[in-house]
Amino acid sequence: MAENFDDKVHQLLNIPRPKPGNEQDVKEVVKALVDLCEEENVPGKYGNAVDNGTTSAIQRKWIRLLLSLLYKRFHNLSPEQKELAATHHEASSSTCGDGERLIFYAAIQTLFEIAASSSPTTEKVGNDRHERVNKALQVLTQLSPYVGGSRDVCYLIGQFVTHTLQSANHHESILLHGNETSESIKIAR
């Protein structure tokens, strides 16, 4: 029996706060959700058809995944919540999100790993998945200052730099094994 997307989203939303360095459970759930997002023939409300020519079942599942991650991260002291509280003259302790930084960071790290391992291919399906993972990272990057503040922005910058350097090092090792040199290696160093 195939895993149900809704059950995995529920699992993500109810996963307990991990201890630093022990985020493997979160990463496994996110990887499973990404795989389930890519399945087209899912019975139920996600369907497999395009609704009014706007969004497909795959897109709806990706939207639900991203909203779930953003909800887990959103917290009472986020810039957006502070602005809402000031605008509506409410106490900033109103209920909103879980403020789970480690879960959000583990999910982003997992998406980076998936993006790095699924490079664009000549097959349409492979390219679509790669594009959707990169788009998900772009959306989370654009919204992270609002849901988590500057700490999240700093984390994302660190992840981008880490993955860029890892990619450059991988590129360098391939070129060195082939006894070739490249300007990109000199720039990366």
Side-chain angles (χ1 to χ4, degrees):
M1 184 170 132
E3 288 189 273
N4 183 321
F5 180 77
D6 290 328
D7 291 342
K8 276 295 176 190
V9 169
H10 181 76
Q11 184 180 356
L12 175 68
L13 290 173
N14 291 300
I15 201 162
R17 177 180 293 170
K19 293 189 182 334
N22 193 16
E23 299 94 5
Q24 193 57 37
D25 290 344
V26 175
K27 290 181 174 190
E28 288 173 9
V29 170
V30 172
K31 286 177 187 174
L33 277 166
V34 168
D35 290 340
L36 289 169
C37 281
E38 293 299 313
E39 290 181 4
E40 289 191 55
N41 297 321
V42 177
K45 62 185 161 196
Y46 298 103
N48 61 359
V50 174
D51 291 334
N52 300 325
T54 56
T55 57
S56 69
I58 290 174
Q59 291 167 325
R60 288 191 304 273
K61 288 186 285 181
W62 272 102
I63 290 168
R64 178 119 187 256
L65 170 59
L66 295 179
L67 288 174
S68 298
L69 288 171
L70 291 167
Y71 175 80
K72 284 298 281 184
R73 181 61 188 118
F74 194 68
H75 60 88
N76 291 329
L77 298 176
S78 68
E80 190 66 18
Q81 178 61 20
K82 286 179 181 177
E83 185 177 319
L84 285 171
T87 303
H88 299 321
H89 306 293
E90 297 174 3
S92 65
S93 62
S94 63
T95 304
C96 66
D98 293 341
E100 289 293 340
R101 184 175 56 246
L102 285 177
I103 292 173
F104 187 71
Y105 292 176
I108 287 177
Q109 188 176 29
T110 303
L111 290 173
F112 269 109
E113 291 167 3
I114 292 170
S117 68
S118 65
S119 60
T121 63
T122 56
E123 299 174 25
K124 183 169 177 27
V125 173
N127 279 337
D128 289 348
R129 177 187 173 113
H130 184 76
E131 288 174 17
R132 282 189 285 270
V133 170
N134 283 325
K135 183 66 175 175
L137 283 168
Q138 180 183 359
V139 168
L140 291 174
T141 301
Q142 290 172 337
L143 294 177
S144 68
Y146 302 106
V147 298
S150 60
R151 182 182 283 180
D152 288 4
V153 174
C154 292
Y155 177 81
L156 285 166
I157 291 170
Q159 285 297 304
F160 282 125
V161 170
T162 299
H163 284 277
T164 301
L165 291 175
Q166 286 174 344
S167 178
N169 285 339
H170 177 71
H171 181 67
E172 178 181 19
S173 67
I174 291 172
L175 291 175
L176 290 178
H177 284 35
N179 293 325
E180 298 176 16
T181 59
S182 169
E183 282 298 312
S184 63
I185 291 175
K186 294 175 186 169
I187 292 170
R189 288 186 177 166

